[in-house]
């Protein structure tokens, strides 16, 4: 008797090798369907292997669930084994389970288009206090900022008022 090849199994006394279900694999000499484990990019669900949806991944054989893409990453394809970093890191981010590069957005203090790696710091005198691909705004009247990548206008107003009060 010979061992069944990899990706097949044979129940004792069956006389033939049976292929593992789709998207699963087994070592040579496997003796049951239970030896067939889901391939990376898939997970075990109701006795079969299903692809991870976009925004999720599995990187191990035999996964029982898919992991979410972390903030700052995305995955736009089903059946993936990893997520891709947003192109503008470290100056952009994305929500958990992002499924498209367009989910990447410039952090507060940075403006541009994160999905094409063009997040640039707000210049002195400007700020941006939200995550998104909008532009930087001028500091409000009677305020200023010497900071590069300023992410709020509250402190500028407070400093100006404090300086006026001390005078």
């Amino acid at each position: 008797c010979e061992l069944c090849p990899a990706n097949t199994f044979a129940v004792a006394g069956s006389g033939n090798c049976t292929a593992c279900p789709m998207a699963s694999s087994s070592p040579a000499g496997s003796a049951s369907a239970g030896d067939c484990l889901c391939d990376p990019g898939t997970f075990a669900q109701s006795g079969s292997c299903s692809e991870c949806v976009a925004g999720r991944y599995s990187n191990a054989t035999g996964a029982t669930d898919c992991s979410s893409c972390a903030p700052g990453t995305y995955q736009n394809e089903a059946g993936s084994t990893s997520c891709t970093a947003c192109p503008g890191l470290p100056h952009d981010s994305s929500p958990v389970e992002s499924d498209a590069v367009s989910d990447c957005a410039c952090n507060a203090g940075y403006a541009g288009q994160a999905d094409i790696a063009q997040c640039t710091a707000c210049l002195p005198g400007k700020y941006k206090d939200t995550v998104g691909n909008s532009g930087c705004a001028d500091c409000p009247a009677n305020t200023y900022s010497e900071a590069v990548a300023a992410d709020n206008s509250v402190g500028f107003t407070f400093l100006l008022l404090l300086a006026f009060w001390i005078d």
Side-chain angles (χ1 to χ4, degrees):
C1 295
E2 295 181 30
L3 292 177
C4 286
N7 305 322
T8 65
F9 65 94
V11 177
S14 70
N16 61 2
C17 299
T18 303
C20 284
M22 187 174 359
S24 67
S25 55
S26 68
S30 293
S32 74
D35 294 334
C36 298
L37 300 176
C38 294
D39 294 333
T42 66
F43 68 104
Q45 182 180 34
S46 303
S48 65
C49 298
S50 298
E51 282 188 326
C52 297
V53 298
R56 296 177 61 88
Y57 72 98
S58 73
N59 57 7
T61 301
T64 57
D65 196 8
C66 298
S67 300
S68 298
C69 290
T73 66
Y74 70 95
Q75 183 46 261
N76 58 351
E77 295 181 16
S80 296
T81 59
S82 65
C83 297
T84 303
C86 286
L89 284 175
H91 304 300
D92 69 350
S93 191
S94 64
V96 172
E97 291 190 16
S98 292
D99 61 4
V101 68
S102 60
D103 291 337
C104 299
C106 296
N107 292 333
Y110 293 84
Q113 290 182 271
D115 60 340
I116 57 172
Q118 291 187 348
C119 292
T120 55
C122 295
L123 298 174
K126 296 185 175 286
Y127 76 100
K128 182 174 155 248
D129 59 1
T130 59
V131 173
N133 294 332
S134 61
C136 300
D138 291 332
C139 292
N142 301 324
T143 67
Y144 70 98
S145 169
E146 294 177 359
V148 173
D151 60 7
N152 69 57
S153 66
V154 175
F156 312 135
T157 304
F158 177 74
L159 289 173
L160 188 61
L161 291 173
L162 182 62
F164 180 76
W165 183 71
I166 292 173
D167 246 1

